[in-house]
Amino acid sequence: MNPAGGGEPMIVARGIGKRYGSVTALDGVDLDVHQGSVHGLLGHNGAGKTTLVRILTAQTRPSAGRATVSGFDVVDQPERLRRKIGLTGQFASVDEQLSGRDNLILIARLLGAGRRQARARADELLESFGLVDAAGRLARTFSGGMRRRLDLAASLVGRPAVVFLDEPTTGLDPAARLNVWQIVRDLVRDGATVLLTSQYLDEIDRLSESLTVLSDGRILAAGSPMELKHQVGRRTAVVRFEAVADLKVAGPVLSGSGLRPALDEARTSVTVPVETSRDIATIVRALDDAGLELSELQVAEPTLDEVYLSLMSAAAQSAGSERAEAVK
Amino acid sequence: MTIAGGTIGGGPRAADAGTWEGSGVATQIWVLALRSLRALVLDPRILVSSLLAPFLMLLVFSQIFAGIANTPQFPAGVGYTDFLVPAIMVNTAMQSAMQTGIGLTQETQNGIIARLRSLPIWPGSILVGRSIAELIRSLLRLVVLLASALLIFGFRPAGGAGGVLAGIGLAALLGWGLGWIFIALTCWLREVELIQNVSGILLFPLMFASNAFVPVEALPRWLQVVAVINPMTHGIDAVRDLTHRGDAGGSAAVAVATALAVAVVAGFTAVKGLERDS
């Protein structure tokens, strides 16, 4: 699958597997991320996202397969690879005993900057990340959002060509989340390549040109967000009524209009998959013609759960039909 | 938030991307030691409590065990304080050794070690930097301990200033060397509570099944056997000789050699543990 962008390949993985004893954390994972693009890695906890990030950042060795980042092999050239990458993990890893500024200076010095260069780079990043006022305070006094920004800044000190962001918005409030999204966009504008893991489909939808869905260590689907949504989940319309009697009438009315309604009596609501906006108009018209009063109408994008369930059931079905073929 | 053109990111457009060619191991160790030192010494609460501990130990033990000085097994002509201070010195250095491991575990938990490991540096620098910072704090604690022993507890070392300074140096070196055992444990076990328990289990017999508080001859027979093979006994002997006589002869050389050998073996094991797949 060739993702949008089409620059030089910056992350290439082929058949990556990882076993911990008898547990298979990853199995046969391929990945292609091109320069200047954001690739999303979507999956629930335990899907293997963090393990893949750890392999690609040379923190743990794959049990199978090969991968290169910025042209350097994750197993054979870990030192050179680390010069090209920045990593922000799920938990803000800053030195709590140091000030915000000293945290950044420390990283810069370890990357080989002289004292003056290190200070200049730290100030530049503090400015960019809105941390100038708090620069002299110990990091342990920072709020969650500030800490995360400092952590992000720390991973960018060396101007990495490839940035790994492992669930960078987990646990952040909405404003801080928007902040992180802007940082990701700015990174890409500046020419960096970003691998972003998330549990939220909307986050990946907003930021990335291509994505991979992981489940139980395997790739469930890959492509652009558009392709995936088309292939997987459809949007759904949820119509709620005042009375169960209305709901019972609505079922046949919607079926009669060529739609596939699913009734939920407990919530006096009906869920209808919609393909186009015309379907929404059809729903409203059909119910209006039947003289039904709707108390609420919502159109929802597929959630990660729906994408998952849909992908899973598709996978189960194809496995089933393969077995059926084999029996014949 | 506005980010002025091309300052946060990397890639081809960053003006001076790739100008930093990495740092040398000496710089890494220096920068990381300073970092740890800042937390250990500049935080007044941590500093004061760490300085107070050896003082309290001296106060308590000098009161509890003072009567031993009157027993026949006790060397004649030596006051109990003079006997006890070298043991507290070695114990203080060992506490620092244990602290190195515990401090490192806490950092493993809060993710800062993972961040450092993601950088293009030699992982050993992280450990050496911390051990040096702890060594400096250990020296500081020893100086405060000796000052209070001299001023308050009537410690009168016959070995003179030279002997005392050599004693401080030897105790600190012992703690630094054996500290690598705790660092290695941390790198392999990686759990705060487990490390604390294991460290406690290790430290307790090392200190008490030795000649630290009573002469070996005053111990029960089976404990004498343990005390004689306990390296602490020999370390404490060497520090006692230095402070009491100003010269320790062979025992100090053996103690130094042992500390260095342990540092090398445990250090190598620790770096392997840190690099290990998890």
Side-chain angles (χ1 to χ4, degrees):
Chain A
M1 193 128 349
N2 189 26
E8 267 178 72
M10 291 302 273
I11 305 176
V12 180
R14 290 288 172 269
I16 292 290
K18 179 71 181 176
R19 299 178 63 85
Y20 294 103
S22 62
V23 180
T24 302
L26 286 175
D27 185 18
V29 172
D30 296 337
L31 202 60
D32 289 276
V33 185
H34 291 253
Q35 195 265 314
S37 72
V38 180
H39 187 88
L41 208 55
L42 186 67
H44 285 300
N45 283 331
K49 304 189 298 290
T50 298
T51 305
L52 185 55
V53 168
R54 284 175 56 83
I55 288 172
L56 294 174
T57 54
Q59 294 190 71
T60 188
R61 285 158 175 262
S63 319
R66 294 193 73 86
T68 59
V69 173
S70 195
F72 296 118
D73 191 280
V74 295
V75 175
D76 300 334
Q77 299 166 298
E79 285 268 323
R80 300 179 71 183
L81 182 150
R82 285 190 192 120
R83 270 187 209 163
K84 293 288 181 186
I85 61 164
L87 169 66
T88 296
Q90 281 178 45
F91 308 100
S93 47
V94 297
D95 191 332
E96 308 211 322
Q97 314 285 345
L98 296 183
S99 70
R101 194 162 184 258
D102 284 342
N103 260 289
L104 299 177
I105 290 176
L106 171 78
I107 306 285
R109 294 280 284 139
L110 290 173
L111 289 172
R115 278 197 192 82
R116 190 177 303 162
Q117 288 173 308
R119 273 199 297 271
R121 181 65 180 144
D123 287 340
E124 193 177 25
L125 285 164
L126 289 166
E127 176 84 43
S128 301
F129 284 81
L131 290 168
V132 173
D133 294 339
R137 273 166 46 193
L138 292 188
R140 68 160 176 256
T141 67
F142 279 24
S143 71
M146 288 164 69
R147 206 178 273 237
R148 191 61 67 99
R149 269 183 281 157
L150 180 61
D151 191 30
L152 271 166
S155 68
L156 302 177
V157 168
R159 296 188 174 85
V162 184
V163 181
F164 293 86
L165 303 175
D166 193 9
E167 298 196 17
T169 61
T170 299
L172 291 189
D173 62 46
R177 228 174 143 208
L178 287 175
N179 233 323
V180 171
W181 289 353
Q182 189 55 46
I183 290 166
V184 173
R185 292 192 186 104
D186 290 332
L187 273 172
V188 174
R189 185 202 60 207
D190 292 348
T193 305
V194 177
L195 185 75
L196 168 79
T197 85
S198 180
Q199 303 193 42
Y200 310 113
L201 185 61
D202 70 315
E203 180 162 293
I204 297 222
D205 200 6
R206 273 162 215 266
L207 295 173
S208 64
E209 291 92 57
S210 60
L211 80 156
T212 299
V213 184
L214 278 183
S215 172
D216 286 332
R218 288 195 181 79
I219 292 181
L220 216 50
S224 72
M226 240 357 215
E227 286 170 333
L228 197 72
K229 271 198 229 164
H230 197 72
Q231 169 191 343
V232 170
R234 294 176 205 312
R235 288 190 299 165
T236 52
V238 179
V239 186
R240 193 158 288 148
F241 299 95
E242 295 290 348
V244 179
D246 287 355
L247 179 66
K248 291 198 167 141
V249 179
V253 166
L254 292 169
S255 306
S257 310
L259 297 163
R260 285 173 291 116
L263 303 189
D264 182 346
E265 294 198 8
R267 293 184 189 159
T268 56
S269 70
V270 56
T271 304
V272 189
V274 290
E275 309 237 1
T276 62
S277 51
R278 196 177 305 156
D279 286 343
I280 300 169
T282 308
I283 293 170
V284 175
R285 201 177 314 118
L287 295 176
D288 194 39
D289 288 350
L292 295 169
E293 190 130 328
L294 12 161
S295 69
E296 196 182 320
L297 170 67
Q298 266 183 1
V299 180
E301 294 289 328
T303 65
L304 174 58
D305 283 325
E306 285 160 351
V307 170
Y308 250 40
L309 291 175
S310 167
L311 284 167
M312 295 281 211
S313 70
Q317 266 170 21
S318 75
S321 63
E322 268 167 38
R323 265 196 296 277
E325 288 291 319
V327 170
K328 281 180 200 169
Chain B
M1 179 174 16
T2 55
I3 296 174
T7 56
I8 67 162
R13 271 186 251 166
D16 51 344
T19 48
W20 298 339
E21 289 300 320
S23 53
V25 169
T27 308
Q28 293 166 18
I29 292 174
W30 169 242
V31 169
L32 288 166
L34 275 185
R35 170 190 92 91
S36 302
L37 203 56
R38 211 179 281 220
L40 293 178
V41 177
L42 290 191
D43 186 328
R45 294 168 309 164
I46 294 177
L47 181 65
V48 168
S49 59
S50 76
L51 293 178
L52 215 55
F55 173 82
L56 285 178
M57 205 154 39
L58 182 58
L59 178 67
V60 169
F61 284 116
S62 66
Q63 301 306 304
I64 295 176
F65 292 132
I68 291 167
N70 304 322
T71 58
Q73 291 96 335
F74 202 79
V78 179
Y80 188 66
T81 301
D82 294 344
F83 178 81
L84 182 64
V85 168
I88 303 288
M89 287 166 67
V90 173
N91 196 2
T92 299
M94 288 307 296
Q95 296 285 354
S96 287
M98 197 174 119
Q99 279 302 320
T100 319
I102 291 169
L104 203 59
T105 330
Q106 278 157 354
E107 293 203 326
T108 310
Q109 308 265 312
N110 72 22
I112 181 73
I113 298 294
R115 150 125 295 144
L116 295 175
R117 290 262 348 252
S118 77
L119 298 174
I121 61 170
W122 177 55
S125 301
I126 302 167
L127 307 179
V128 177
R130 175 159 275 278
S131 86
I132 289 175
E134 196 62 61
L135 173 65
I136 291 169
R137 178 162 78 153
S138 168
L139 283 169
L140 208 59
R141 297 170 87 185
L142 286 168
V143 168
V144 171
L145 170 70
L146 261 298
S148 55
L150 288 164
L151 297 174
I152 303 170
F153 293 91
F155 178 49
R156 291 294 168 262
V164 169
L165 288 178
I168 289 178
L170 182 60
L173 183 71
L174 276 176
W176 177 82
L178 298 185
W180 280 97
I181 295 176
F182 297 100
I183 296 176
L185 273 176
T186 301
C187 291
W188 285 92
L189 298 179
R190 298 179 180 182
E191 255 178 77
V192 179
E193 223 158 285
L194 190 59
I195 307 277
Q196 273 171 343
N197 290 347
V198 172
S199 302
I201 290 169
L202 270 177
L203 203 57
F204 194 74
L206 277 175
M207 279 321 297
F208 284 92
S210 76
N211 62 350
F213 305 106
V214 297
V216 172
E217 298 74 36
L219 292 168
R221 188 97 215 124
W222 68 272
L223 214 52
Q224 285 190 22
V225 178
V226 180
V228 167
I229 56 168
N230 184 347
M232 282 296 107
T233 299
H234 302 283
I236 291 167
D237 265 342
V239 176
R240 273 190 189 134
D241 286 348
L242 284 171
T243 54
H244 295 173
R245 296 194 278 113
D247 134 59
S251 65
V254 171
V256 169
T258 310
L260 293 179
V262 168
V264 169
V265 174
F268 182 77
T269 314
V271 174
K272 278 270 156 250
L274 190 63
E275 285 178 330
R276 175 182 59 129
D277 245 3
S278 56

